[in-house]
């Protein structure tokens, strides 16, 4: 992704292939295409052991999204006891890089509570140094085993980037910066809403790929300690599904 920072790209080696395989295997828990991420419901109690593997974290999110879209939300981990315990520290089991869209709050979409998710949000999931630093903090300092790049249907940031690319119009203030970062993901050969929708998924793939090339994150993936997964949320059905 074309941003001002030069990515620290790991060389293509057997180690690179191994870490890609590890990420793909863990991501398999999320269904491909339009299928559901649903799994047998499972909620951690406030005193349960922390989820520490990528596969287990994916299952937690799958169960939560199933509850959300079937209107069986539990709104876990909101009690006074949990709030008190969290005052002394945190151990989230997943980090969600999502869009700023008010219709896609990760804690609701995945039916998770206080201390469960670390969320980083920027328009169109655009990466910059602050976003990269926030993700690195969650993974390297807190040991989070799963990063999900979460795009969504009808993304306004993506639509603005597509419109600017097609018309040549400049967007106001810093919005142009966002559009410039999304531009490399714009899908050619399509038009209208279909082009915007295809670009939403392409942007998720591009951002996920960029994160996977970050040396410190790639080392965790290679060791089986981290998975970086692309997904998108459908506003109409409330379904989260994998973007491969």
């Amino acid at each position: 992704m074309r941003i001002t920072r030069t990515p620290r790209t790991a060389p293509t080696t057997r180690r690179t292939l191994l870490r890609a395989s590890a990420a793909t295997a863990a991501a398999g828990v999320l269904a491909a295409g339009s299928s559901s991420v649903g799994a047998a419901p499972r909620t951690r109690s406030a005193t349960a052991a922390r989820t520490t593997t990528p596969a287990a974290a994916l299952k937690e999110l799958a169960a939560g999204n199933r509850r959300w879209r079937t209107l069986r939300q539990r709104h876990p981990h909101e009690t006074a006891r949990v709030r008190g315990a969290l005052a002394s520290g945190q151990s989230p089991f997943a980090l969600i890089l999502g869009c700023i869209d008010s219709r896609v709050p990760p804690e609701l979409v995945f039916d998770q509570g206080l201390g469960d998710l670390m969320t980083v949000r920027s328009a169109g999931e655009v990466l910059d140094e602050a976003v990269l630093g926030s993700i690195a903090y969650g993974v390297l300092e807190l040991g989070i085993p799963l990063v999900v790049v979460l795009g969504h249907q009808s993304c306004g940031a993506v639509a603005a980037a597509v419109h600017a690319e097609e018309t040549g119009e400049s967007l106001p203030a810093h919005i142009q910066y966002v559009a410039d970062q999304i531009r490399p993901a714009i899908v050619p050969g399509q038009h209208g809403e279909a082009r915007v929708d295809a670009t939403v998924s392409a942007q998720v793939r591009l951002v996920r790929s960029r994160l996977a090339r970050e040396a410190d994150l790639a080392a965790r993936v290679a060791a089986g300690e981290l998975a970086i997964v692309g997904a998108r949320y459908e506003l109409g059905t409330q379904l989260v599904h994998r973007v491969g």
Side-chain angles (χ1 to χ4, degrees):
M1 193 170 186
R2 298 174 188 171
I3 63 175
T4 55
R5 181 173 185 267
T6 302
R8 295 173 294 166
T9 305
T12 302
T13 61
R14 181 172 179 272
R15 183 178 177 83
T16 305
L17 296 175
L18 285 173
R19 69 173 176 250
S21 298
T24 301
V29 179
L30 284 173
S34 62
S35 57
S36 165
V37 300
R42 176 175 174 268
T43 301
R44 298 176 302 138
S45 70
T47 57
R50 175 181 184 246
T51 299
T52 58
T53 67
L58 283 163
K59 288 180 180 178
E60 290 276 4
L61 295 183
N65 180 244
R66 182 177 181 176
R67 294 193 300 271
W68 167 251
R69 60 189 175 82
T70 57
L71 302 179
R72 295 172 179 164
Q73 304 95 301
R74 297 177 182 171
H75 301 290
H77 310 144
E78 297 179 355
T79 64
R81 182 166 65 89
V82 170
R83 297 180 195 191
L86 287 172
S88 62
Q90 61 172 326
S91 57
F93 71 86
L95 187 150
I96 312 298
L97 170 58
C99 183
I100 61 172
D101 196 292
S102 63
R103 300 166 293 178
V104 195
E107 287 85 357
L108 295 183
V109 166
F110 292 112
D111 192 29
Q112 299 299 322
L114 294 172
D116 292 332
L117 302 180
M118 177 168 283
T119 58
V120 182
R121 302 178 71 173
S122 65
E125 307 87 55
V126 163
L127 293 176
D128 62 13
E129 286 297 326
V131 171
L132 285 167
S134 299
I135 294 169
Y137 178 82
V139 173
L140 303 178
E141 298 298 321
L142 298 183
I144 293 174
L146 175 66
V147 173
V148 177
V149 181
L150 183 65
H152 67 92
Q153 178 186 10
S154 301
C155 179
V158 170
V162 170
H163 176 77
E165 194 272 341
E166 291 178 344
T167 65
E169 295 179 10
S170 294
L171 298 172
H174 302 288
I175 302 174
Q176 185 62 53
Y177 172 83
V178 173
D180 289 342
Q181 307 315 307
I182 295 173
R183 183 177 293 118
I186 295 176
V187 176
Q190 298 192 47
H191 304 281
E193 289 301 318
R195 192 181 196 196
V196 172
D197 193 69
T199 301
V200 167
S201 296
Q203 171 68 354
V204 168
R205 294 187 189 98
L206 195 63
V207 172
R208 194 213 69 81
S209 177
R210 169 67 192 280
L211 290 175
R213 293 197 302 270
E214 287 290 316
D216 290 335
L217 303 184
R220 297 270 177 139
V221 172
E225 299 170 350
L226 173 69
I228 305 172
V229 175
R232 58 177 279 170
Y233 177 69
E234 306 301 338
L235 296 174
T237 62
Q238 295 85 59
L239 172 71
V240 176
H241 61 88
R242 178 184 163 194
V243 173

